[in-house]
Amino acid sequence: MKDRSELLDFSMRRRDFCQVEWKTTSTLVAYEDAVDLMEQRVAAIHAGEASELVWLVEHPPIYTAGTSTNDADLLSARFPVHRTGRGGQFTYHGPGQRVAYVMLDLNARTPDLRRFVASLEAWIIETLAHFSVSGERREDRVGVWVKRPEKAPGAEDKIAAIGIRVRKWVTYHGISLNVEPELSHFAGIVPCGIGEARYGVTSLVDLGLPVTMTDADTALKSAFELTFGPTKPVP
């Protein structure tokens, strides 16, 4: 991983230093509606008609399939399945999981996708540190992981997923952080195509932490500003 100074430079290279709009929707948002809004916003950002935006949502239970999906990884279609243009494979979204859609203009930052993904990982890891959780990245597995030696030697659980799409160097889709979702809902898929028994899924509450969604949002915002620069609230 790049060191902290390099990742912070991701925000400092911006030409205009505009604040990123920060929006939270408190009601469940249908996945299709979220995709439609993101596509409209990305077009407006590229046209210079809208500011960058981070949008925090929760979805009704749904499985989404990225561009690298193996259909065999759908074990039981217990929830609707949405084929989406983001990168990655199958994942689950549902109540208790904070999804952060990140619409940033890499034309005005650094047009480097690997660096952008590394910065998303750094954002999640910094967020987890607020709760004294040690999140780690893996070269061969996308997302952020926590070690679970109490389960088995070498056991690790995924606590956050990353799946992005870029159009004309404007990003969308983003990250999902498991705060307190129903973890049994992940059983209908092989999450991100990783089927080894020693790799599972966890959440902040599953780790024994009494973290609310509001707590998670506060930590996400603070950590985002460290990595990407200042934000401003929108109604």
Side-chain angles (χ1 to χ4, degrees):
M1 174 185 273
K2 297 178 183 297
D3 66 29
R4 168 65 62 185
S5 63
E6 289 182 276
L7 293 173
L8 284 173
D9 190 51
F10 198 95
S11 67
M12 295 174 67
R13 290 175 66 89
R14 293 204 57 200
R15 293 191 297 267
D16 53 9
F17 295 97
C18 291
Q19 292 179 309
V20 179
E21 292 189 350
W22 189 271
K23 179 178 180 179
T24 304
T25 298
S26 57
T27 56
L28 296 181
V29 177
Y31 187 80
E32 295 85 351
D33 293 343
V35 173
D36 287 345
L37 185 148
M38 283 191 286
E39 290 180 343
Q40 294 171 25
R41 185 64 175 239
V42 165
I45 291 171
H46 183 263
E49 299 169 352
S51 300
E52 297 176 311
L53 173 68
V54 173
W55 183 26
L56 304 185
V57 304
E58 290 176 84
H59 291 304
I62 187 172
Y63 295 134
T64 68
T67 55
S68 302
T69 292
N70 179 351
D71 288 344
D73 288 340
L74 179 62
L75 305 178
S76 174
R78 55 193 297 190
F79 302 117
V81 177
H82 186 93
R83 304 282 172 173
T84 182
R86 63 157 176 80
Q89 303 182 52
F90 274 115
T91 194
Y92 164 79
H93 294 312
Q97 181 191 71
R98 174 54 84 206
V99 178
Y101 290 127
V102 183
M103 289 156 268
L104 300 182
D105 184 5
L106 299 190
N107 294 291
R109 293 174 179 266
T110 302
D112 183 332
L113 290 183
R114 290 177 63 89
R115 188 171 184 174
F116 174 62
V117 171
S119 295
L120 292 177
E121 291 170 336
W123 172 28
I124 297 167
I125 290 168
E126 185 70 29
T127 298
L128 294 173
H130 281 253
F131 306 107
S132 299
V133 173
S134 180
E136 300 180 9
R137 67 189 295 270
R138 295 289 179 261
E139 292 294 339
D140 60 337
R141 286 176 269 132
V142 178
V144 174
W145 299 76
V146 294
K147 294 179 179 178
R148 303 299 302 273
E150 72 278 12
K151 287 186 169 183
E156 296 184 350
D157 284 346
K158 191 172 191 176
I159 195 167
I162 297 173
I164 65 167
R165 190 172 183 181
V166 178
R167 180 174 296 167
K168 297 179 180 178
W169 288 110
V170 180
T171 71
Y172 58 123
H173 296 275
I175 69 167
S176 58
L177 173 65
N178 295 333
V179 180
E180 192 179 8
E182 177 51 67
L183 295 180
S184 67
H185 289 180
F186 286 88
I189 58 172
V190 178
C192 300
I194 300 169
E196 293 185 49
R198 63 189 174 124
Y199 300 137
V201 180
T202 191
S203 69
L204 288 168
V205 171
D206 181 56
L207 292 174
L209 300 168
V211 177
T212 67
M213 192 65 74
T214 299
D215 295 333
D217 290 349
T218 299
L220 280 164
K221 186 173 184 292
S222 175
F224 180 90
E225 291 180 338
L226 281 175
T227 305
F228 292 98
T231 65
K232 62 180 179 180
V234 294

